[in-house]
């Protein structure tokens, strides 16, 4: 369908990586783009704040060598934006941090007996060699891992990992999701004895979005604009998007096409006023999400950890400690060490209702227990960020739950991370999907 005599105006709901990737590719075609974001800043889950000269993500972020879509975008916009550093990983188990970087480390991993180590190694080798994941879709990760790596490996490695990420949902998680994680990690290095290199966007991930804003034309971004309704008007063939701004006054926008990048259940609420079949709304609402909490410490203490430290101890509420400045030079952050202490939590978790002070008190007790050298006195700043919809629950047979990009509302498209499967969601896939949607939207116009 042609839009005559006018530049097509595309509305995008949400200002995360999917939105800006789509914006970049759409703006190359000359369209006018308006982005509406309910938060006070842009970036979504990859949003950031400033420390020293750099932006720092509210939730830890890095890239893998296999993240080809975002690397291609960076290469096109400014190849200088990417930096690569050697990663390091440890597993905390019963009072000790064990390095976990290569097959050698697995062979030396004392919490597992030798037979369990071998079984884990063989299972990982097998999973990494499997190219077609379809055989893993119907079986849960924990069931498959228990069968092939044994009870001990489940207790020490897999249950803490799965519970750390999915909490009460952990037994439902599909082996296809685990396959994708292991596959990507394996392919991001040339052999299992080599150390992994991780990518970071120079000065913070938000800089990629800032570059998109600098290089693209005809873009308007409205933050503090919560979209509350999306409706198709048959007479004008326009999509009417209503929002509340920060003063709670209602605004209306008219667009030729709309891309929604919010979580699926939020989208379901936004389109309720249209004649949409209840089955479709139920399908959207069926996708479950879990939240995340990230506590960031800016401190003078070097705890000498690995970059990534899995906490394989279910009595500790957080699942990971990330020493960000083990990967990125601390000179970017006023020479302070930066740590993320983070975990995933169900929406009704008590941690979401604790005040920041209460949360700090609770988590610091655990920090002191697992890391007796941890010194609160050396901390200069603490930041706490809570994300309600941080990760969707990728259960067995998840594929059937995935909503289509084209929605029953004419000219309205949906692209969010619940459609990414079997890979774990990430900025790379947000870019991949954003680009795909830009092509779909422009083809629908021409
Ligand atoms: C703890 C954590 C660690 C992560 N680590 C990595 C990593 O290492 N590497 C990596 O690549 N990725 C990582 N990710 C994932 C990555 O951040 C996401 O995949 C990506 O940012 C998703 O982008 P998006 O645009 O699809 O969604 P989002 O970033 O969720 O954007 C959606 C936007 O919609 C807005 N919105 C919602 N409702 C409304 C409404 N009614 N009106 C207007 N706006 C609305 C939201 O505020 C949000 O800004 C991590 C995520 C988390 C939570």
């Amino acid at each position: 369908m042609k839009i005559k005599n006018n530049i097509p105006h595309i509305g995008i709901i949400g200002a995360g990586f999917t939105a800006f990737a789509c914006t970049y590719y759409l703006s190359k075609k000359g369209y006018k783009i308006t982005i509406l974001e309910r938060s006070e800043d842009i970036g979504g889950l990859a949003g950031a704040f400033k420390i020293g000269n750099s932006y720092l993500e509210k939730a830890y972020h890095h890239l893998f060598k296999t993240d080809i879509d975002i690397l291609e975008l960076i290469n096109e916009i400014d190849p200088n934006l990417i930096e690569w550093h050697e990663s390091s990983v440890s597993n905390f188990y019963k009072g000790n941090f064990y390095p976990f970087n290569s097959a050698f480390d697995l062979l030396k991993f004392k919490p597992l007996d030798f037979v369990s180590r071998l079984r884990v190694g063989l299972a990982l080798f097998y999973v990494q060699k499997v190219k077609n994941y379809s055989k893993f879709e119907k079986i849960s990760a924990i069931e498959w891992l228990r069968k092939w790596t044994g009870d001990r490996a489940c207790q020490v490695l897999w249950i803490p990992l799965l519970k750390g990420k999915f909490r009460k949902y952990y037994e439902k998680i599909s082996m296809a999701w685990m396959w994708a994680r292991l596959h990507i990690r394996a392919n991001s290095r040339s052999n299992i004895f080599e150390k992994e290199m991780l990518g970071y966007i120079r000065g913070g991930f938000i800089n990629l979005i800032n570059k998109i804003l600098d290089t693209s034309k005809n873009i308007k971004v409205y933050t503090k604009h919560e979209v509350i309704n999306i409706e198709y008007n048959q007479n004008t063939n326009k999509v009417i998007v209503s929002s509340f701004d920060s003063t709670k006054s209602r605004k209306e926008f008219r667009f030729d096409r709309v891309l929604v990048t919010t979580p699926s259940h939020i989208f379901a609420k936004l389109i309720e006023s249209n004649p949409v079949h209840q089955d479709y709304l139920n399908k959207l609402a069926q996708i479950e999400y879990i939240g995340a909490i990230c506590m960031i410490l800016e401190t003078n203490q070097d705890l000498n950890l690995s970059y990534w430290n899995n906490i394989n101890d279910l009595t500790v509420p957080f699942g990971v400690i990330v020493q960000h400045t083990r990967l990125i030079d601390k000179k970017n952050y006023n020479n302070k060490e930066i740590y993320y202490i983070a975990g995933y939590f169900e929406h009704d978790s008590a941690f979401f209702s604790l005040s920041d002070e209460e949360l700090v008190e609770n988590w610091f007790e655990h920090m002191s227990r697992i890391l007796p050298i941890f010194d609160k006195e050396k901390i200069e700043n603490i930041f706490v960020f809570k994300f309600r919809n941080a990760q969707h629950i990728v259960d067995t047979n998840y594929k059937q739950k995935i909503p289509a990009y084209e929605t029953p509302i004419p000219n309205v498209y949906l692209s969010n991370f619940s459609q990414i499967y079997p890979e774990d969601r990430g900025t790379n896939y947000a870019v991949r999907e954003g680009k795909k949607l830009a092509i779909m939207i422009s083809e629908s116009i021409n």
Side-chain angles (χ1 to χ4, degrees):
M1 177 195 308
K2 287 228 182 290
I3 293 157
K4 289 178 192 149
N5 309 326
N6 243 329
I7 303 174
H9 192 183
I10 320 292
I12 302 188
I13 318 307
F17 264 71
T18 305
F20 281 101
C22 190
T23 296
Y24 175 74
Y25 292 107
L26 281 176
S27 93
K28 279 183 121 187
K29 303 249 176 208
Y31 301 135
K32 215 164 109 185
I33 296 144
T34 296
I35 300 179
L36 302 172
E37 165 61 50
R38 79 168 168 201
S39 313
E40 54 190 30
D41 51 10
I42 59 170
L45 292 178
F49 64 107
K50 247 191 162 167
I51 292 194
N53 299 324
S54 264
Y55 287 103
L56 181 72
E57 292 68 44
K58 296 174 188 171
Y60 46 83
H61 272 73
H62 55 247
L63 295 175
F64 298 110
K65 290 267 180 194
T66 44
D67 285 340
I68 49 174
D69 296 274
I70 194 166
L71 292 173
E72 187 186 292
L73 176 64
I74 293 169
N75 208 28
E76 195 172 314
I77 291 182
D78 178 1
N80 197 34
L81 266 183
I82 188 81
E83 55 185 62
W84 293 97
H85 302 283
E86 195 176 283
S87 166
S88 51
V89 178
S90 286
N91 277 337
F92 174 83
Y93 187 75
K94 292 215 167 143
N96 291 305
F97 284 88
Y98 297 90
F100 216 75
N101 297 297
S102 65
F104 287 128
D105 289 338
L106 172 63
L107 288 174
K108 289 185 289 183
F109 187 57
K110 287 210 184 92
L112 289 183
D113 56 90
F114 191 68
V115 174
S116 301
R117 286 179 228 168
L118 272 186
R119 288 181 74 180
V120 170
L122 286 172
L124 290 179
F125 182 74
Y126 169 71
V127 171
Q128 288 162 6
K129 290 289 160 212
V130 171
K131 293 231 158 53
N132 182 351
Y133 63 86
S134 58
K135 66 171 86 169
F136 294 136
E137 290 191 275
K138 292 194 180 97
I139 185 161
S140 74
I142 200 62
E143 203 181 330
W144 193 92
L145 290 164
R146 196 179 296 285
K147 180 168 176 197
W148 294 104
T149 69
D151 284 340
R152 179 75 189 152
C154 282
Q155 190 198 327
V156 175
L157 287 177
W158 308 119
I159 294 180
L161 193 141
L162 284 163
K163 268 198 173 172
K165 179 106 177 177
F166 295 104
R167 297 287 159 188
K168 68 176 183 197
Y169 304 101
Y170 86 99
E171 283 173 306
K172 300 207 287 185
I173 301 309
S174 165
M175 186 59 200
W177 177 86
M178 186 61 98
W179 168 86
R181 287 212 78 167
L182 298 173
H183 214 69
I184 283 163
R185 294 305 282 262
N187 290 333
S188 70
R189 51 180 117 188
S190 40
N191 69 67
I192 51 169
F193 297 102
E194 190 185 76
K195 277 207 168 184
E196 186 175 42
M197 301 296 284
L198 293 180
Y200 190 69
I201 298 184
R202 215 176 287 284
F205 270 59
I206 202 79
N207 276 337
L208 182 58
I209 291 183
N210 290 337
K211 285 267 175 183
I212 290 173
L213 284 169
D214 288 349
T215 51
S216 314
K217 287 193 194 107
N218 263 336
I219 301 173
K220 273 203 178 129
V221 182
Y222 294 91
T223 52
K224 295 192 222 156
H225 273 64
E226 175 164 16
V227 171
I228 48 162
N229 191 51
I230 298 174
E231 221 167 289
Y232 173 67
N233 184 315
Q234 212 174 350
N235 299 328
T236 58
N237 194 29
K238 300 269 180 195
V239 182
I240 299 156
V241 174
S242 312
S243 72
F244 277 143
D245 68 11
S246 54
T247 62
K248 282 276 167 215
S249 55
R250 196 181 167 114
K251 270 196 186 166
E252 263 186 19
F253 298 82
R254 280 172 172 65
F255 298 116
D256 297 301
R257 299 286 183 278
V258 166
L259 171 65
V260 180
T261 71
T262 71
S264 299
H265 58 278
I266 296 182
F267 176 59
K269 291 255 173 294
L270 301 182
I271 55 168
E272 268 170 355
S273 62
N274 296 268
V276 195
H277 204 285
Q278 189 60 37
D279 287 352
Y280 179 70
L281 298 177
N282 292 346
K283 187 179 165 109
L284 293 173
Q286 230 186 27
I287 297 171
E288 294 168 289
Y289 285 79
I290 189 162
I293 301 179
C294 291
M295 186 182 291
I296 300 175
L297 311 183
E298 189 188 351
T299 163
N300 289 308
Q301 187 179 22
D302 184 354
L303 289 166
N304 228 337
L305 298 175
S306 295
Y307 164 64
W308 188 272
N309 305 276
N310 291 312
I311 307 301
N312 292 15
D313 178 339
L314 294 171
T315 65
V316 178
F318 42 86
V320 71
I321 305 173
V322 178
Q323 185 165 359
H324 179 74
T325 35
R326 185 67 58 225
L327 196 73
I328 307 303
D329 199 319
K330 66 179 184 180
K331 72 172 189 293
N332 291 292
Y333 312 102
N334 295 328
N335 277 321
K336 303 286 180 252
E337 297 287 343
I338 302 288
Y339 297 88
Y340 289 91
I341 310 173
Y344 287 85
F345 301 96
E346 294 99 344
H347 289 160
D348 59 0
S349 158
F351 288 117
F352 272 111
S353 25
L354 289 186
S355 69
D356 289 358
E357 292 71 27
E358 288 167 329
L359 196 74
V360 168
E361 196 186 326
N362 183 301
W363 285 18
F364 276 15
E365 258 178 56
H366 293 282
M367 280 296 280
S368 303
R369 185 162 62 86
I370 64 173
L371 266 165
I373 56 161
F374 174 63
D375 186 352
K376 293 181 242 180
E377 301 305 316
K378 296 220 164 84
I379 296 172
E380 303 238 321
N381 274 309
I382 305 172
F383 308 88
V384 175
F385 296 102
K386 294 178 177 167
F387 309 90
R388 274 193 77 73
N389 299 301
Q391 167 77 49
H392 56 300
I393 306 302
V394 189
D395 44 14
T396 45
N397 291 319
Y398 181 77
K399 204 184 257 176
Q400 282 133 38
K401 288 189 176 177
I402 300 175
Y405 301 118
E406 281 184 87
T407 75
I409 323 284
N411 300 343
V412 176
Y413 295 80
L414 176 69
S415 176
N416 64 35
F417 59 77
S418 77
Q419 292 155 319
I420 294 162
Y421 175 82
E423 302 91 351
D424 197 17
R425 49 98 181 96
T427 52
N428 177 61
Y429 304 102
V431 169
R432 183 184 74 187
E433 303 293 286
K435 183 176 183 182
K436 211 187 280 177
L437 267 294
I439 295 169
M440 280 180 84
I441 290 171
S442 57
E443 280 177 357
S444 80
I445 292 169
N446 293 316

